[in-house]
């Protein structure tokens, strides 16, 4: 198909936002010019009074993930459909081997599931123990199109690695040019504090926030930074939520650690006031790390503006309030940790652009371009240069207000932390690999189009 998008304000890159037309041919950006001739194309799309942006890249999602006693509600089909409605055209999903499962079997299993993806997709492999089969297979991951693993310093007895094993695994990953992504919190100390809370009768979800202090996040960020230095490994710190972490990140980098970092909307748009009530509704905000006080929120925005953190991912990890979250009615530690956000990430950021909290260029950099560079997808993704994949979104510059609600969002979950919020910047049209998936806010494709990015 040959399609020309005319009259929009086009973010060719975060630094180059221009009034140009974009010609798309065979799934790729073919030409950018001030005056493309519609006669050269089969289809002309009017993007007057619209932004045309590179599709969002969400580097951190959990679709169909077994977490303790429950599984995330969105699978690769429903989750990527919701992502597309929210302007995200590529997702990177965490996949975890079953006990004893070979990494090759895991990746093959997920590539099969990928057939159901509406967006482009790639994977990070969770390594939860120093298991000899996985260590033997680690160097083979790049040949399977996998370039990143995820490790945890939280959840003792479940996902947490000892410092020794963290060192061994990061070192081995680095030798095979694999990036280690790290959930950095001091799990053992958190468990002590949380146990003391429950023994004192403080069992409500609000205590999830109080028992995961940011000191223990900053401590782990710094420790992981030092271990990474010794392992001669780069690391990517996921879901940073606090000033303690920003400071630790800076200090570890000063000492020579090669650390990249992301934060997420729940740390930029929500704060610890969500934990003020004793009501069980607070379970909606049980994700890890928790939302933090205002000063932390301010420090994260500041870190983004200074380039200390440069990616905003969703950490979409949806568990229904009814059923799943209710597992923790009598003990907040049993509430599955995670919340939804794959569909609201980009609209929240674009709403903040409208409010003057950030520039459009910053929004594009943080939600797309920087992730494409970090995960080896640039310049195919994250930009609209000639030769790039035609993954793009069209957003009205004066968009109709959209009221976020679990009833109208497409994420498969019974709540959103942003219920009732007015969003501007829900995309009008979404093109993935040169195919329109959404037009006029409606799903128009009859089947999925995503491709594996590896
Ligand atoms: N960390 C994540 O990255 N996602 C869900 C749960 C968690 O602790
Ligand atoms: Zn995590
Ligand atoms: Zn996560």
């Amino acid at each position: 198909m040959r399609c020309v998008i005319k009259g929009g304000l086009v973010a060719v890159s975060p630094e180059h936002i221009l009034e140009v037309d974009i010609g798309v041919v065979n799934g790729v950006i073919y030409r950018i010019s001030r005056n493309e001739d519609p006669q050269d194309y089969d289809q002309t799309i009017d993007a007057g009074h619209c932004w045309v942006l590179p599709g969002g890249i969400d580097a951190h999602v959990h679709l169909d993930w077994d977490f303790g006693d429950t599984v995330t509600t969105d699978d690769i089909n429903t989750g990527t459909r919701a992502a597309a409605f929210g302007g995200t055209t590529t997702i990177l999903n965490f996949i975890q081997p079953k006990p004893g499962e070979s990494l090759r079997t895991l990746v093959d299993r997920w590539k099969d599931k990928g057939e159901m993806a509406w967006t482009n997709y790639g994977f990070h492999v969770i390594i939860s123990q120093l298991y000899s089969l996985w260590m033997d297979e680690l160097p083979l991951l790049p040949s399977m199109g996998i370039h990143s693993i995820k490790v945890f310093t939280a959840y003792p007895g479940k996902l947490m690695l000892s410092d020794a094993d963290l060192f061994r695994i990061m070192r081995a990953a680095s030798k095979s040019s694999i990036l280690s992504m790290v959930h950095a919190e001091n799990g053992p100390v958190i468990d002590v504090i949380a146990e003391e809370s429950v023994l004192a009768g403080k069992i409500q979800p609000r205590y999830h926030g109080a028992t995961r202090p940011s000191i223990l996040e900053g401590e782990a960020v710094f420790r992981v930074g030092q271990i990474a230095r010794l392992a001669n490994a780069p690391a990517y710190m996921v879901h940073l939520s606090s000033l303690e972490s920003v400071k630790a990140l800076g200090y570890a980098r000063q000492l020579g650690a090669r650390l990249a970092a992301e934060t997420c909307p729940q740390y930029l748009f929500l704060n610890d006031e969500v934990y003020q009530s004793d009501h069980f509704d607070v379970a909606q905000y049980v994700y890890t790390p928790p939302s933090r006080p205002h000063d932390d929120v301010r420090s994260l925005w500041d870190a983004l503006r200074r380039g200390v953190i440069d990616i905003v991912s969703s950490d979409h990890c949806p568990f229904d309030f009814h059923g799943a979250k209710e597992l923790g009615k009598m003990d907040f530690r049993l509430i599955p940790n995670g919340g939804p956000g794959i569909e609201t990430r980009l609209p929240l950021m674009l709403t903040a652009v409208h409010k003057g909290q950030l520039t459009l260029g910053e929004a594009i950099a943080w939600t797309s371009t920087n992730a494409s560079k970090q995960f080896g997808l640039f310049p195919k993704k994250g930009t609209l240069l000639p030769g790039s994949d035609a993954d793009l979104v069209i957003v009205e510059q004066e968009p109709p207000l959209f009221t976020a609600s679990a009833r109208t969002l497409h994420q498969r979950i019974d709540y959103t932390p942003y219920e009732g919020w007015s969003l501007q910047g829900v995309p009008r049209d979404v093109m993935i690999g040169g195919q329109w998936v959404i037009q006029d806010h409606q799903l128009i494709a009859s089947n999925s189009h995503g491709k594996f990015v590896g």
Side-chain angles (χ1 to χ4, degrees):
M1 193 207 20
R2 300 171 69 89
C3 169
V4 62
I5 300 165
K6 284 190 74 71
L9 189 61
V10 178
V12 176
S13 70
E15 299 78 25
H16 298 97
I17 301 179
L18 313 166
E19 279 176 20
V20 286
D21 301 337
I22 302 189
V24 172
V25 176
N26 293 336
V28 171
I29 309 291
Y30 165 67
R31 205 159 56 198
I32 297 170
S33 83
R34 294 232 176 252
N35 204 2
E36 283 297 288
D37 185 350
Q39 294 199 342
D40 291 344
Y41 295 90
D42 311 322
Q43 185 188 43
T44 302
I45 298 292
D46 179 7
H49 308 289
C50 293
W51 292 327
V52 184
L53 313 176
I57 298 174
D58 194 342
H60 184 154
V61 305
H62 301 268
L63 303 175
D64 202 358
W65 184 42
D66 270 289
F67 186 51
D69 295 331
T70 183
V71 183
T72 53
T73 48
D74 268 315
D75 60 23
I76 197 146
N77 181 265
T78 63
T80 54
R81 198 162 58 94
F85 272 103
T88 288
T89 54
T90 299
I91 59 105
L92 301 177
N93 192 37
F94 290 98
I95 60 174
Q96 184 173 357
K98 297 177 180 163
E101 185 179 32
S102 118
L103 298 185
R104 182 171 292 285
T105 309
L106 168 77
V107 173
D108 287 348
R109 189 157 63 77
W110 271 93
K111 284 185 179 167
D112 285 348
K113 294 192 196 200
E115 302 284 313
M116 304 293 288
W118 292 85
T119 63
N120 304 303
Y121 59 94
F123 304 124
H124 319 289
V125 170
I126 294 175
I127 302 287
S128 58
Q129 54 173 291
L130 189 81
Y131 174 48
S132 59
L133 176 64
W134 297 343
M135 295 311 288
D136 290 346
E137 287 186 296
L138 200 61
L140 305 177
L141 284 178
S143 69
M144 303 176 210
I146 311 290
H147 306 280
S148 36
I149 58 167
K150 165 116 181 251
V151 289
F152 291 76
T153 66
Y155 306 119
K158 295 175 190 134
L159 294 164
M160 189 185 92
L161 297 173
S162 66
D163 287 351
D165 288 352
L166 186 71
F167 173 68
R168 290 188 181 101
I169 291 171
M170 289 177 86
R171 183 175 57 183
S174 176
K175 279 191 183 141
S176 298
S177 304
I178 296 168
L179 177 67
S180 294
M181 303 172 75
V182 188
H183 172 135
E185 280 184 309
N186 187 318
V189 178
I190 287 169
D191 278 7
V192 171
I193 299 171
E195 181 173 39
E196 287 174 357
S197 174
V198 170
L199 290 174
K202 297 175 178 175
I203 58 166
Q204 295 93 329
R206 65 182 299 176
Y207 295 106
H208 173 76
T211 55
R212 303 189 90 91
S214 59
I215 293 178
L216 296 178
E217 187 187 339
E219 181 275 328
V221 168
F222 186 69
R223 176 163 39 101
V224 168
Q226 295 292 69
I227 292 171
R229 278 177 74 200
L230 278 172
N232 193 22
Y236 176 101
M237 313 308 294
V238 298
H239 54 46
L240 296 189
S241 70
S242 63
L243 175 59
E244 291 276 348
S245 285
V246 173
K247 285 184 176 165
L249 184 68
Y251 189 31
R253 279 180 180 154
Q254 249 180 44
L255 294 175
R258 289 180 286 148
L259 301 181
E262 68 171 21
T263 186
C264 311
Q266 52 274 34
Y267 311 118
L268 296 171
F269 298 103
L270 299 172
N271 59 59
D272 66 344
E273 285 166 18
V274 299
Y275 305 115
Q276 264 172 6
S277 157
D278 273 335
H279 204 279
F280 190 73
D281 280 357
V282 172
Q284 295 180 33
Y285 307 98
V286 173
Y287 37 74
T288 300
S291 290
R292 304 291 192 187
H294 286 285
D295 282 352
D296 292 281
V297 175
R298 260 193 298 277
S299 76
L300 293 172
W301 280 106
D302 183 53
L304 281 165
R305 288 189 194 105
R306 291 186 293 122
V308 173
I309 296 175
D310 70 354
I311 293 176
V312 176
S313 306
S314 70
D315 196 3
H316 181 71
C317 189
F319 299 107
D320 275 332
F321 181 80
H322 296 290
K325 294 277 183 188
E326 284 169 347
L327 292 169
K329 272 239 148 168
M330 301 311 293
D331 180 341
F332 69 87
R333 293 174 300 175
L334 303 178
I335 301 170
N337 284 197
I342 204 167
E343 189 173 356
T344 44
R345 180 187 70 121
L346 186 59
L348 281 166
M349 296 302 282
L350 293 178
T351 304
V353 172
H354 283 290
K355 290 183 177 164
Q357 271 178 286
L358 70 160
T359 66
L360 181 60
E362 286 171 330
I364 295 157
W366 304 343
T367 57
S368 178
T369 313
N370 293 346
S372 77
K373 291 180 177 169
Q374 178 66 51
F375 293 98
L377 306 176
F378 189 84
K380 278 187 147 330
K381 313 276 185 212
T383 180
L384 296 178
L385 285 167
S388 300
D389 291 345
D391 299 335
L392 56 86
V393 300
I394 301 181
V395 187
E396 289 128 313
Q397 283 184 44
E398 285 177 30
L401 279 186
F402 171 90
T403 304
S405 168
R407 276 175 290 106
T408 47
L409 289 167
H410 303 84
Q411 303 168 145
R412 189 164 67 184
I413 175 167
D414 62 4
Y415 79 94
T416 166
Y418 310 104
E419 185 72 34
W421 287 36
S422 286
L423 297 180
Q424 289 173 291
V426 175
R428 185 190 78 180
D429 309 313
V430 179
M431 174 182 268
I432 302 179
Q435 305 278 329
W436 292 110
V437 175
I438 288 168
Q439 281 191 317
D440 266 331
H441 302 282
Q442 305 297 322
L443 191 71
I444 61 143
S446 51
N447 51 24
S448 50
H449 291 292
K451 289 206 174 67
F452 178 65
V453 292

